[in-house]
Amino acid sequence: DALPILVLCSLFAGFRTLLPQHFSSVFLLLMLNRVFDSYRKESAFSNCFDSGLFVSLASLFYLPAAVFLVVIFASFIMLRPFAWREWVITLIGFIVPWLLVLTAFYWNNNVNEIFAPSGKSVFGFSYFQYSQPAHAILIYIFFGLLLLPAFMYFVSSFTSGKVKTNKFFLLFFWFLITALVSGIAIPVGA
C-alpha cells in the first residue's frame, strides 16, 4: 500500500534526504504501539512510562516532536479511566532522557550548545539541510487530495465499528491533527 507513495516521494530530490524527522518517526510509531497496548489493561504504568520515553527520544532527534506528548494525554482521556499516576509516570518517562542528556552536556561544559540556534539537534543532525522544491505547494495539494478519500472513509466508517476500533481511529485522528498543526506552526525545514 505504501509503495506508490514511496515512488512518488522518490521522484523529488528534496524528499530523498535523510532527516532527523525520519529517526523521530520511528520512536513516535513505538509510542503509538505502547499507547494502543495500554487499552483495557488493569495496570499500564510501564506502557505510560514507555510512551513518554519514546516521545522524549523522538524529541532528542527532532525537538518539535515533543508536541506529541499531547497525543499521549489525549489517548489517556479516550482509552483509559483517569489515574493521575499514569499522567505523572508519562511525564517522568519524558523527562528522564532529557535529564540524562542535559547531565552529559553539563559534564562536558556544553550546556549552552544544546539549544543553540545553530540548527542542530541534540545528536548533531542538521534541521536546515532540507530545502523544499519550488513546486512544493503542488505536491502538498496532490497528497491532500490523496488523503481526502481516506478522511471521507474514516468519517463514514467511524460509527459502524467496534468501540475499540473507533477509539483507535480517533487516536489516529489526534495524531494526524497534531502532526499537521505542528508542521504548520514550525518553519519550513525546522
Side-chain angles (χ1 to χ4, degrees):
D1 290 333
L3 184 62
I5 293 177
L6 288 174
V7 170
L8 285 173
C9 287
S10 67
L11 292 176
F12 307 106
F15 290 157
R16 290 189 300 240
T17 306
L18 186 61
L19 300 169
Q21 291 94 323
H22 298 138
F23 296 107
S24 178
S25 65
V26 171
F27 291 109
L28 293 176
L29 289 173
L30 291 171
M31 177 269 301
L32 276 177
N33 184 34
R34 294 303 286 170
V35 166
F36 286 154
D37 192 37
S38 72
Y39 183 69
R40 297 276 177 138
K41 262 192 173 178
E42 190 68 32
S43 176
F45 295 141
S46 65
N47 293 53
C48 297
F49 183 83
D50 291 347
S51 60
L53 181 83
F54 287 138
V55 170
S56 182
L57 291 173
S59 70
L60 287 175
F61 283 101
Y62 182 61
L63 187 60
V67 76
F68 284 95
L69 200 59
V70 172
V71 173
I72 295 174
F73 293 136
S75 70
F76 288 164
I77 292 170
M78 290 184 290
L79 301 177
R80 307 207 32 87
F82 179 74
W84 64 271
R85 289 179 291 181
E86 293 176 352
W87 292 60
V88 171
I89 288 171
T90 301
L91 288 175
I92 290 171
F94 182 79
I95 291 170
V96 165
W98 276 101
L99 191 62
L100 292 173
V101 167
L102 287 172
T103 302
F105 273 69
Y106 178 76
W107 281 345
N108 294 320
N109 292 326
N110 295 331
V111 176
N112 294 333
E113 294 178 16
I114 194 164
F115 295 113
S118 66
K120 299 274 186 184
S121 70
V122 172
F123 294 117
F125 296 109
S126 174
Y127 287 158
F128 302 107
Q129 68 187 15
Y130 175 73
S131 62
Q132 286 191 342
H135 53 285
I137 190 72
L138 296 174
I139 297 167
Y140 293 144
I141 290 171
F142 177 73
F143 283 123
L145 290 174
L146 283 178
L147 284 176
L148 189 62
F151 182 72
M152 298 300 250
Y153 175 76
F154 168 75
V155 170
S156 67
S157 68
F158 185 73
T159 58
S160 63
K162 294 181 180 179
V163 173
K164 178 181 178 180
T165 306
N166 290 344
K167 288 182 178 184
F168 286 178
F169 273 150
L170 195 57
L171 183 58
F172 275 126
F173 183 71
W174 267 96
F175 191 85
L176 178 67
I177 292 299
T178 305
L180 289 174
V181 168
S182 67
I184 291 169
I186 298 165
V188 174

